[in-house]
Amino acid sequence: MILLVDNGSLEPASTLNLRTIAARLGESLGRKVVPVSLLHSNAVPVDQLAGQPAELLADALATRLQAGESNFLVVPLFFGPSGALTDFLPTRVAALKARFPQLCVRVAPWLVAVDAADDERMAAILEENVRAKIAEVASRPAVILVDHGSPARAVTAVREHLARQLRSHLGPALRDVVAASMERRAEPEYDFNEPLLERAFDRPGFDAGSVIVAMLFISPGRHAGPAGDIARICAAAQQRHPELRIVMTDLVGRHPGLIPILVDRVRAGLARPPL
């Protein structure tokens, strides 16, 4: 059984988008793909999810194990090696395996591998989303590529890798490109997450003229989406800098180019040893 797994959100649109991606991936594979989350989503009221409750991964595995299913492929909707994949997921699987020794879980690779220099498909998605917004602005824009931010340096390395690819793809169409985070831990060892998005708009070249915020997010949630923190930060930046014009791209999870990447991750995951 294939499980498409995101981190989870209290925003109903996040679970609904996860379901859409799972259905499209299932169509491409010719197999059922079950959408589940690691955390949070089971707290969303059912009436906001078309009457179908969200499932968490641990519950989904336990339910299907009790029904006789034992082999699972987890396909992560994560850009890089988040602690959710490297720590939280293996711990949950180990706890379940203590109860169900027959459990076999394989985990597919995350979406972006920085050592796969010839795979620029995620950067191509971001480029297409940015180019769709260049037509809306009157001047040569700058771009801020923003993600959630992570205490794992390897996750930030993925964002920086994509920012370099995006700069290479768009070239003279842009003034500049910078990568930014929405969140960071306060300690100095997490300075690699800088700049935070709100501070990026105070940098020269990003405090006036047209700036496109390229959204490195799969689904709407607390940060992304029309009423998310990113929209609030952008509005505040335009108040601070009256000559600044900000537009935001669509989310990666709504782009059809995500599905071929996921298909490849499924194939790679099936060839991996189980946890």
Side-chain angles (χ1 to χ4, degrees), residues 82-257:
S82 164
L85 301 180
T86 59
D87 298 322
F88 182 85
L89 175 60
T91 300
R92 287 299 176 97
V93 170
L96 274 172
K97 203 162 186 177
R99 292 169 51 202
F100 303 97
Q102 74 274 27
L103 174 61
C104 177
V105 175
R106 290 176 170 82
V107 181
W110 43 80
L111 293 170
V112 180
V114 296
D115 57 351
D118 58 340
D119 188 354
E120 299 195 358
R121 289 177 294 177
M122 188 60 68
I125 290 172
L126 294 167
E127 176 191 4
E128 190 169 324
N129 285 347
V130 167
R131 287 194 184 277
K133 294 299 178 180
I134 288 177
E136 296 182 15
V137 299
S139 60
R140 188 162 156 252
V143 168
I144 301 174
L145 177 64
V146 63
D147 72 351
H148 182 280
S150 172
R153 189 179 289 271
V155 175
T156 303
V158 168
R159 188 193 69 207
E160 299 291 339
H161 169 74
L162 290 171
R164 288 191 295 272
Q165 289 184 327
L166 191 58
R167 185 181 292 109
S168 174
H169 281 220
L170 287 161
L174 303 179
R175 295 197 311 273
D176 201 357
V177 178
V178 70
S181 306
M182 282 302 296
E183 296 181 11
R184 59 158 292 175
R185 294 183 181 177
E187 293 81 4
E189 59 263 36
Y190 300 106
D191 285 354
F192 58 81
N193 282 292
E194 289 291 341
L196 292 178
L197 179 62
E198 59 199 65
R199 292 199 267 268
F201 287 120
D202 296 327
R203 288 186 164 200
F206 295 89
D207 58 353
S210 298
V211 175
I212 297 173
V213 176
M215 306 283 277
L216 191 57
F217 290 84
I218 299 291
S219 297
R222 180 163 54 92
H223 293 319
D229 293 341
I230 293 175
R232 176 183 54 78
I233 287 170
C234 290
Q238 289 181 136
Q239 292 237 338
R240 289 197 310 278
H241 304 292
E243 296 182 1
L244 178 62
R245 184 188 177 198
I246 303 168
V247 294
M248 294 184 289
T249 71
D250 204 351
L251 306 179
V252 169
R254 294 190 176 127
H255 195 286

